Amino acid sequence: MVRKIEGPARIPVPGGKLIDEHIGRVSSGDDGISIAHMTAPPGWEEPPQRPQFVEYTVVLRGLVMVEHAEGTTEVAAGQSVVTSPGERVRYSAGPEGAEYIAVCLPAFSAESAGRD
């Protein structure tokens, strides 16, 4: 079956970050995967989390920083990063902000994010 999704669902979050979910629980009712386009302003940061999903992040513009047990990994435009379920991570954006695509397996939900 082919399903056309007319457009993303804008998911409100604090701190000025925009989440446009193209595929996922909110936009398409899919709970197995979520695909979202994120735009984060300069200096944006979120609380630490211990998600219950694998997250694949592809940075399109700017810099995404991922804090984890081994330190901080900087991911620039054209680079990608994968985080594993149960790993404590904290995402933030560099001084010019960031634009990126996030793919979560299974789909992202506030409950499965495991935020502190």
Side-chain angles (χ1 to χ4, degrees):
M1 177 175 84
V2 174
R3 291 185 296 147
K4 180 180 178 183
I5 297 153
E6 292 297 329
R10 173 73 43 97
I11 298 174
V13 294
K17 177 176 147 182
L18 300 177
I19 299 177
D20 289 326
E21 183 185 80
H22 288 266
I23 309 290
R25 294 176 195 275
V26 176
S27 62
S28 64
D30 289 280
D31 59 6
I33 186 171
S34 59
I35 302 171
H37 177 238
M38 316 280 211
T39 306
W44 165 85
E45 56 187 36
E46 68 181 7
Q49 57 187 5
R50 195 177 298 272
Q52 299 170 13
F53 46 78
V54 177
E55 185 165 350
Y56 303 88
T57 303
V58 179
V59 179
L60 305 172
R61 180 187 57 79
L63 181 70
V64 172
M65 294 169 290
V66 184
E67 295 175 35
H68 49 89
E70 292 80 38
T72 300
T73 299
E74 294 187 353
V75 189
Q79 298 179 323
S80 305
V81 65
V82 179
T83 59
S84 299
E87 182 174 15
R88 188 173 190 270
V89 293
R90 181 173 179 261
Y91 293 90
S92 59
E96 296 178 13
E99 180 182 1
Y100 57 102
I101 301 294
V103 177
C104 299
L105 294 171
F108 173 89
S109 72
E111 298 78 29
S112 66
R115 292 198 173 114
D116 286 359

